[in-house]
Amino acid sequence: MSDDCGIFQHGKFRLADRNHGYCTDDNCRALSLIALQSGWVEESATRDRLAYTYAAFVNHAWTGERFRNFMDYGRHWLDDGGSDDCCARTLESLIDTVRSNLPDDLRLWAKELAQRVIPQSENWTSQRSRAILIRVLSRALGHVGDEADIRTRIFELSRLLRNGLSDHSDGGHAWFEPRLSYDNARLPEGLILAGETLRDQSLIDEGAEALSWLMAQQTCTEGGHFRPVPTSRFDQGGQTVALFDQQSLEVQATLNACLTAWRVTQDTRWKDEAFRAFAWFHGENDHGLSLITADGGCFDGLTPEGCNQNQGAESLLAYHLSWTAMMANL
């Protein structure tokens, strides 16, 4: 799925679909994957070549204010700046690189760029970008930036997240927004991580409560298996309007949040929930079908008919990042 420019965004079955080019969202995830596994995977020319390729893509995406996201196959940028969420995820890949066992010069590059990016993050205002930033900044402590400044920023971000939860929670709807959409579990995870960093138990409790509500929405009561929020979204009242399409990205976000909740609270319920989410990849889902291929690929989610046979970068990376998170925490 990768060439000397970066990882391709979409796949047509197992083929890289050049019609859709590349995106920073996927290249930063690919960089994070290699960085997170660098302590386990033996150093090799292939590993480092891929790391430098993805890092070069991320470096080229930076405008001085934010990261551009979409590039066509001819290597022309198609936007002037990606979403707030894309920018936050890309900053996360820089912190992952700084903390990695990748070559020294790559870690120095990541630290230098992260120091320039962090001040610009104040302009990112989506709820998910705020939650991801809490995750990023809590991991940056001791590695990048001034500790007091970072803690102050985490406090402010947690206040904004908490306000969203307070504003939109109503009766049986214990959530940060009027409806669920994508990458949902990042929001309660942000509160839990902020509570851990700031030593504020109330933030941890509120985040865990919101995550519990989310897990109740994502559990099939008939079979007890995990059912991620589909891309068809949820309606205003929080009831599902469809079961599909179910995406790997949602599973990864949920798994990460449950592992965080387990580590912070030591409540083994969250370990069980992480296992339940991970099992979705391997057939404990609405179709009883494994999304993982014999060579480690991952299909692009579940449709009403079964597995989407395409294998795009987002799904491939979501699976391998999920596996990496499980190995790092268990």
Side-chain angles (χ1 to χ4, degrees):
M1 284 295 289
S2 300
D3 63 6
D4 63 342
C5 181
I7 191 168
F8 288 97
Q9 183 177 5
H10 290 295
K12 189 67 174 177
F13 297 97
R14 286 190 62 190
L15 299 174
D17 190 346
R18 296 174 178 175
N19 290 313
H20 295 282
Y22 319 84
C23 71
T24 304
D25 254 334
D26 292 330
N27 277 275
C28 75
R29 290 184 181 110
L31 178 58
S32 281
L33 178 63
I34 292 180
L36 292 168
Q37 290 190 355
S38 63
W40 317 336
V41 176
E42 185 177 351
E43 183 178 353
S44 68
T46 298
R47 186 201 74 172
D48 289 351
R49 175 179 57 81
L50 288 171
Y52 281 107
T53 297
Y54 304 140
F57 193 100
V58 166
N59 188 67
H60 186 37
W62 179 243
T63 69
E65 295 180 355
R66 60 195 307 115
F67 292 96
R68 291 170 289 201
N69 195 10
F70 298 107
M71 175 187 283
D72 66 20
Y73 184 59
R75 304 188 182 184
H76 304 110
W77 288 109
L78 302 177
D79 63 304
D80 295 325
S83 68
D84 292 351
D85 303 1
C86 167
C87 291
R89 280 188 288 269
T90 308
L91 176 58
E92 182 171 24
S93 73
L94 297 178
I95 300 303
D96 288 339
T97 302
V98 170
R99 293 169 55 103
S100 75
N101 287 334
L102 291 174
D104 290 347
D105 64 312
L106 202 54
R107 291 188 286 113
L108 286 171
W109 158 79
K111 182 174 182 178
E112 189 274 335
L113 182 54
Q115 288 171 332
R116 287 190 282 132
V117 173
I118 287 174
Q120 297 298 325
S121 69
E122 295 185 4
N123 300 316
W124 309 339
T125 59
S126 77
Q127 285 287 64
R128 276 157 193 77
S129 68
R130 289 166 176 163
I132 295 169
L133 276 171
I134 291 173
R135 177 182 170 93
V136 172
L137 294 175
S138 66
R139 299 187 71 244
L141 284 168
H143 298 276
V144 178
D146 178 79
E147 182 172 339
D149 290 344
I150 287 177
R151 290 185 183 278
T152 299
R153 181 80 173 118
I154 290 174
F155 174 81
E156 179 61 19
L157 289 165
S158 67
R159 183 185 65 81
L160 294 168
L161 266 187
R162 195 179 219 169
N163 287 347
L165 182 61
S166 175
D167 290 344
H168 296 291
S169 292
D170 180 23
H173 183 87
W175 198 242
F176 302 79
E177 300 166 322
R179 61 180 70 104
L180 293 166
S181 56
Y182 76 100
D183 229 6
N184 294 287
R186 300 296 181 195
L187 302 179
E189 182 188 30
L191 278 189
I192 294 170
L193 285 169
E196 178 189 37
T197 303
L198 302 173
R199 299 181 181 178
D200 185 335
Q201 187 63 43
S202 65
L203 285 172
I204 295 172
D205 293 343
E206 290 174 27
E209 181 180 355
L211 184 58
S212 294
W213 180 86
L214 176 63
M215 295 309 294
Q217 314 306 308
Q218 297 189 122
T219 301
C220 174
T221 55
E222 297 86 9
H225 58 261
F226 183 68
R227 177 183 285 164
V229 176
T231 55
S232 50
R233 314 267 177 99
F234 277 53
D235 69 15
Q236 186 73 24
Q239 302 299 314
T240 54
V241 296
L243 296 181
F244 305 101
D245 290 324
Q246 297 177 17
Q247 301 288 319
S248 301
L249 182 70
E250 205 62 44
V251 182
Q252 180 200 353
T254 302
L255 181 148
N256 282 152
C258 290
L259 288 174
T260 294
W262 176 43
R263 180 179 57 78
V264 173
T265 69
Q266 296 296 297
D267 185 342
T268 56
R269 170 213 169 175
W270 295 115
K271 176 184 176 181
D272 295 339
E273 293 288 13
F275 270 106
R276 174 158 42 182
F278 189 66
W280 178 90
F281 287 109
H282 293 278
E284 294 189 25
N285 53 53
D286 283 307
H287 285 315
L289 296 173
S290 175
L291 284 86
I292 308 307
T293 65
D295 61 350
C298 182
F299 294 127
D300 278 351
L302 290 179
T303 73
E305 292 75 32
C307 292
N308 180 334
Q309 296 294 310
N310 295 328
Q311 296 184 45
E314 181 178 282
S315 295
L316 290 166
L317 292 165
Y319 173 68
H320 286 282
L321 284 165
S322 295
W323 181 88
T324 301
M326 294 291 283
M327 292 299 101
N329 286 275
L330 299 177

